[in-house]
Amino acid sequence: MFTPIPTLLIALLTLLPRPALSYTTLSPSSLSRIPSGGSDFDPTTGALLAPLLIPRVPGTPGSAAARRHFVDFFASRLPRWTVATHNSTATTPATGATLVSFTNVILRRDPPWAAPGDVARLTLVAHYDTLYRPEGFVGAVDSAASCALLMHVARSVDAALTRRWEAIGEGDGLGGEEVGVQILLLDGEEAWESWTEEDSLYGSRALAEEWDIVRHEGVSVFETPLKAISLFVLLDLLGAADPSVSSYFENTHWAYQKLSRAERRLREQGLLESKPKTGRFLPDEERHSFSRGYVLDDHVPFLQRGVDVLHVIPTPFPAVWHTMEDDGAHLDVPTLRDWARIMTVFVAEWMDLGDYLEPAPGDGQEEYRERDEL
Ligand SMILES: *[C@@H]1O[C@H](CO)[C@@H](O)[C@H](O)[C@H]1NC(C)=O
Ligand SMILES: [Zn+2]
């Protein structure tokens, strides 16, 4: 992560609002059914989060263990999601001539009848790698917490997606796009020495390049996997208390507003736990002017290729950012569970799941228990 650039990149983009067609608002009773993840976000014992709080430097055993955690979770608990990896190699300024391997993990659920090239995918993204130095750095807000959040979101919408697609069957959309969801857990976001265009974003640069080049087979709605991304929602540096996330991009402000409204409605219904000093996690619901600066992160290679981006990152960054204090003890679990609820609402609304959510199973009752230790 690196902060400031008032930049010319943004001037190169076409800034057209592109609202999603099927987006519907959850009712108050559906909102009350959104699960928080309960104790799964406990930093020492939580089944989703705790296994990730280890150093995850690309190409090391910790990185492989984190990937195993993701893959085992989806294979055992969410078998309807396809699991794929995308690999690349590069040299880094810290490791000389040796090639380092970077492995992105791609989890995906499309309507069962849809051809891959016909699906517009809500794309939820976080990076799982950690800094090369300081040695032992475990990156709790950067970005283990965001990865665990996305696992929770997938779990929370999975059954409703199945029910919805079974109920509507083929022929949904009245000639419109098919709508799917994918999660990208990216490798190699961090710089190994200091942030430059070459020393950063190893995984996302390789993936954006490939997805810009590969063509879908046959006649398809979207020419490339890149064009099939309806919105790139990047989570980063979440999990510390009192976050304040701005609306960074005018062309996706409509999507920011959906997220901000989800927070407001959950808060108004008393369904959030945290009492942020900032008042709101997402205070810019009514914002009307936008600066040209944004935070450099995994969205950049996609943004440069014209993908719409919603960047969910607090500014200022958490105080522990890039220090050894960025560990489990410095996470604020109520804040994390609130993000889990807010993001789940956003995705459930995007995927039009209001009628298909289950009655609340009781927070913390639906824990994921792990099959094997890492
Ligand atoms: C990418 O690398 C991982 C780890 O080395 C390996 O398990 C996986 O099969 C590779 N994926 C592809 C698509 O080659
Ligand atoms: Zn970082």
Side-chain angles (χ1 to χ4, degrees):
M1 288 311 333
F2 176 73
T3 335
I5 47 156
T7 182
L8 29 111
L9 281 181
I10 200 149
L12 303 174
L13 304 172
T14 44
L15 303 174
L16 300 172
R18 199 203 298 161
L21 295 175
S22 65
Y23 202 105
T24 52
T25 300
L26 290 190
S27 67
S29 87
S30 293
L31 282 183
S32 68
R33 284 180 210 148
I34 294 296
S36 72
S39 56
D40 282 358
F41 291 116
D42 186 285
T44 49
T45 58
L48 292 183
L49 178 62
L52 290 172
L53 295 177
I54 54 174
R56 305 176 300 278
V57 175
T60 66
S63 167
R67 268 195 313 282
R68 238 177 6 254
H69 178 57
F70 303 138
V71 171
D72 286 353
F73 174 77
F74 279 87
S76 66
R77 289 283 306 247
L78 303 174
R80 290 188 172 91
W81 293 65
T82 61
V83 180
T85 50
H86 167 269
N87 293 335
S88 58
T89 56
T91 57
T92 84
T95 48
T98 316
L99 284 175
V100 178
S101 298
F102 299 94
T103 302
N104 301 315
V105 182
I106 301 155
L107 299 321
R108 184 176 287 174
R109 253 202 107 173
D110 287 348
W113 57 80
D118 293 346
V119 183
R121 298 190 187 91
L122 175 62
T123 301
L124 310 167
V125 189
H127 76 88
Y128 73 90
D129 63 301
T130 50
L131 290 170
Y132 176 61
R133 293 286 182 268
E135 217 167 326
F137 176 85
V138 299
V141 303
D142 193 9
S143 244
S146 293
C147 295
L149 275 170
L150 293 181
M151 296 168 82
H152 171 77
V153 170
R155 168 177 71 181
S156 304
V157 299
D158 184 61
L161 281 174
T162 304
R163 281 193 286 273
R164 178 171 199 278
W165 284 331
E166 279 172 6
I168 59 172
E170 203 160 346
D172 177 33
L174 303 168
E177 301 168 346
E178 305 289 359
V179 178
V181 56
Q182 67 187 348
I183 293 173
L184 312 180
L185 300 170
L186 299 177
D187 200 5
E189 186 265 352
E190 301 285 7
W192 292 61
E193 266 183 2
S194 58
W195 192 283
T196 64
E197 269 182 45
E198 290 76 38
D199 187 17
S200 66
L201 309 182
Y202 293 90
S204 57
R205 281 187 287 128
L207 187 65
E209 194 179 322
E210 176 164 324
W211 278 8
D212 201 8
I213 292 167
V214 248
R215 294 282 179 276
H216 287 127
E217 280 174 31
V219 180
S220 57
V221 176
F222 301 103
E223 198 181 355
T224 64
L226 197 94
K227 291 205 167 88
I229 297 173
S230 50
L231 182 69
F232 188 99
V233 184
L234 176 60
L235 276 52
D236 204 355
L237 304 185
L238 301 182
D242 306 318
S244 180
V245 171
S246 301
S247 181
Y248 299 100
F249 298 108
E250 188 165 12
N251 69 320
T252 56
H253 184 59
W254 63 274
Y256 177 95
Q257 287 178 308
K258 304 283 184 199
L259 195 62
S260 179
R261 277 177 207 142
E263 181 200 9
R264 178 166 51 73
R265 283 155 44 225
L266 284 162
R267 255 186 226 296
E268 284 168 0
Q269 265 186 254
L271 296 169
L272 298 185
E273 295 171 62
S274 63
K275 304 263 179 299
K277 293 197 197 91
T278 43
R280 293 274 299 272
F281 292 3
L282 297 146
D284 283 354
E285 192 176 335
E286 304 303 332
R287 181 168 186 160
H288 296 296
S289 70
F290 295 82
S291 79
R292 284 169 178 266
Y294 59 84
V295 181
L296 293 177
D297 206 344
D298 278 324
H299 58 306
V300 171
F302 291 83
L303 189 69
Q304 286 170 329
R305 291 173 170 83
V307 173
D308 285 350
V309 171
L310 176 60
H311 197 189
V312 186
I313 188 169
T315 40
F317 292 171
V320 298
W321 175 69
H322 283 192
T323 73
M324 288 301 279
E325 261 81 74
D326 183 8
D327 57 14
H330 290 82
L331 290 171
D332 186 63
V333 178
T335 297
L336 201 41
R337 285 198 287 254
D338 285 350
W339 278 120
R341 294 172 169 108
I342 294 164
M343 285 309 305
T344 301
V345 170
F346 181 83
V347 175
E349 293 192 340
W350 188 285
M351 301 304 293
D352 203 7
L353 300 180
D355 295 337
Y356 304 98
L357 294 165
E358 280 173 325
D363 278 352
Q365 302 298 300
E366 23 79 59
E367 289 167 42
Y368 162 60
R369 301 209 182 278
E370 235 176 349
R371 289 180 315 168
D372 44 26
E373 67 297 331
L374 291 168

